[in-house]
Every structure is written in structure tokens, then in C-alpha cells.
Amino acid sequence: MTGEPAAPAGRPAATLAISRGARRALRALGLATVAELPLPDGRRADVVALAGDGTLWIAEVKSSPEDFAADRKWGGYSDHCDRFLFAVGEDFPVELIPETCGLMVCDAYDGRLLRDPAERRLAP
């Protein structure tokens, strides 16, 4: 027994670990976070963070290249945030992530921002 909780059905342990690390890293940057937030269009954002100035961030968690290749719905997430980034594990080939997106590399305990997400302010 590892002491880690079991992953809920449909959520691989690697995805949960990356999400946890991303949330901890975003909180260290001064943002408040929530996981699995439903969006108005019916999709669900993996991690949403709110900065003190009202800036909304969305972090899309990708646990593997296969996960990244299979899921292209992330392109529409920028309609719901001011800053968009990918949160990936330490062994993820980061060259797959588009240069136009922010990038955070995470483990279960923390994350480091490798590429700041560009700001594209939502309409008030």
C-alpha cells in the first residue's frame, strides 16, 4: 500500500497527480484553484485558477502523448479564460505542446511554470 488514495473511475492516477501538483504550484503563485469545473458549453476544465486581479486561468492536464493526441477539445478553452496552459508530467515530451500555450511541468507535489501563458482578456 502506497498511502495514496485510489484514482476515481475514469481518472488515471497520473492525471490526478499532475492536477494536484498544478493546483499546488498555482496556489504558490497566489491563485485560488478548483478542479473539474463545469463550463457553460458543457465541457469541464481540469483546473481553473483565479488571480487576485480577476484573471482566470485554465490548466488542461495531459498525462501522456496519447492523451494529448486523443483530446483536441482544449482549443475552445480560451473562450472561458484569460490565460490557458497545459500541465504535464515530468516525462511528457514538451515539444508536443503548442508554443502559443503556457506550459507547466508537474508531479504530485508541485509544478514549475516553463512557459508563461499568454494573456488574452475575456470580454467583461
Side-chain angles (χ1 to χ4, degrees):
M1 181 169 211
T2 66
E4 289 293 319
R11 299 287 293 176
T15 300
L16 293 175
I18 294 165
S19 180
R20 179 177 186 249
R23 291 184 68 199
R24 291 177 71 147
L26 290 166
R27 281 194 303 267
L29 293 172
L31 288 84
T33 68
V34 64
E36 298 293 323
L37 183 73
L39 299 173
D41 63 4
R43 291 181 289 175
R44 189 173 56 233
D46 293 333
V47 176
V48 175
L50 178 64
D53 67 358
T55 303
L56 280 172
W57 297 39
I58 290 181
E60 174 70 359
V61 175
K62 292 298 171 200
S63 60
S64 68
E66 295 79 16
D67 180 22
F68 178 77
D71 178 13
R72 293 295 181 172
K73 68 182 181 290
W74 55 264
Y77 286 147
S78 61
D79 294 339
H80 304 286
C81 64
D82 300 302
R83 294 178 178 253
F84 175 79
L85 65 103
F86 282 97
V88 299
E90 294 179 321
D91 58 347
F92 189 95
V94 296
E95 61 275 2
L96 294 178
I97 302 300
E99 291 287 327
T100 57
C101 300
L103 176 61
M104 179 178 280
V105 175
C106 306
D107 61 21
Y109 304 100
D110 202 4
R112 64 188 183 282
L113 195 59
L114 296 185
R115 189 168 53 232
D116 216 11
E119 187 172 69
R120 194 189 89 176
R121 299 295 288 187
L122 291 172

